[in-house]
Amino acid sequence: MPLIDGLTTLWDTLMSAQPDPPPLLVVLTAAVALAVVVARLPWRIARNAVTIAHEGGHALVALLTGRRLHGIRLHSDTSGLTLSAGRPTGPGMILTLLAGYVAPSLLGLGGAWLLAGNRITLLLWLAVALLLAMLVLIRNLFGVLSLLITGGVVLAVSWYTSPEVQAAFAWTSVWFLLLGGVRPVFELHRQRARGRMPQSDADQLGRITPFPALFWVGLFLVVCLGALAAGALLLAGPILAGAGLTA
């Protein structure tokens, strides 16, 4: 049947593994991602992707813990807001608040796991699917535009570019999430020290748990750095293989 044959072909395409990238590509994409994270203007633009992942983490965990999700707003200053209803305390609220700052790094770790198996097509299509799912939750115009532009770029790369370009884009994106997930935690600590973020996720967690806000900032950092270390090890597979350091 044509439908079954089409679905089989699609499944085979998604699950097929691409060849190992050259070690130089792994190094260059890491360098590009690091440059974007540390440079002021590129970071100011690319940080929107981190905000999308941050708010998406809040939204996903809110749904998984049974909270009523009212929507997501993304702002031009790279801030965001996820509105959910439910108990103001308890495990659901704690996990929802905890999810934001660790989401980009954990998403990057998941991407690194897929790239370690050379599942580039699957990674790109999953990214498009997640962005489309999040789009229906957006409640402001800038947020809609951000999701459409980001999803459009990923879709265009996955559909129209060569395997080499797809590999470079995928590795750069995952490196960016792993590295870019760490910087907002330091920004949070700096802003809190200046008294500018009294309603931050860490401060809200400090008010509804026995642990102070600084504890939660530290936990965010530990998770993000751990994800970066694990993800870097996965992404460095081609380099380790080339050096004969893998089994």
Side-chain angles (χ1 to χ4, degrees):
M1 296 177 63
L3 178 58
I4 295 178
D5 291 341
L7 291 175
T8 301
T9 301
L10 177 61
W11 177 258
D12 291 340
T13 299
L14 290 176
M15 299 307 296
S16 62
Q18 284 72 32
D20 286 337
L24 181 60
L25 181 141
V26 178
V27 175
L28 288 178
T29 54
V32 169
L34 180 60
V36 171
V37 171
V38 300
R40 183 174 181 178
L41 181 58
W43 171 249
R44 175 67 178 78
I45 298 171
R47 197 187 193 284
N48 286 288
V50 175
T51 303
I52 290 172
H54 179 117
E55 300 304 330
H58 282 315
L60 177 61
V61 175
L63 290 173
L64 292 177
T65 56
R67 297 181 62 81
R68 297 186 302 278
L69 188 61
H70 292 321
I72 301 170
R73 300 178 69 88
L74 304 173
H75 305 132
S76 59
D77 63 354
T78 72
S79 66
L81 179 65
T82 299
L83 297 173
S84 65
R87 288 184 58 194
T89 59
M93 188 62 184
I94 293 172
L95 291 174
T96 298
L97 289 170
L98 178 61
Y101 276 96
V102 302
S105 295
L106 294 180
L107 189 61
L109 179 58
W113 178 73
L114 289 175
L115 290 183
N118 292 328
R119 298 297 196 274
I120 297 174
T121 302
L122 180 60
L123 170 66
L124 295 176
W125 283 41
L126 279 175
V128 172
L130 290 173
L131 290 168
L132 287 175
M134 188 174 174
L135 182 61
V136 302
L137 301 172
I138 299 296
R139 297 295 182 263
N140 67 321
L141 179 59
F142 181 83
V144 171
L145 292 175
S146 295
L147 266 293
L148 289 176
I149 291 172
T150 305
V153 170
V154 178
L155 182 61
V157 169
S158 66
W159 196 264
Y160 295 110
T161 65
S162 66
E164 292 78 12
V165 172
Q166 292 177 19
F169 179 83
W171 252 265
T172 303
S173 299
V174 171
W175 275 120
F176 173 74
L177 285 173
L178 290 169
L179 293 165
V182 177
R183 178 167 173 171
V185 181
F186 286 103
E187 293 175 343
L188 170 65
H189 178 64
R190 185 166 60 250
Q191 293 294 324
R192 288 193 66 259
R194 297 173 181 173
R196 296 181 180 177
M197 296 187 68
Q199 297 300 320
S200 72
D201 295 345
D203 286 279
Q204 292 183 66
L205 284 165
R207 286 193 287 270
I208 65 174
T209 69
F211 306 103
L214 189 59
F215 167 85
W216 294 104
V217 175
L219 182 59
F220 295 160
L221 184 60
V222 168
V223 173
C224 292
L225 289 176
L228 172 58
L233 188 61
L234 288 169
L235 293 176
I239 298 176
L240 298 177
L245 299 177
T246 58

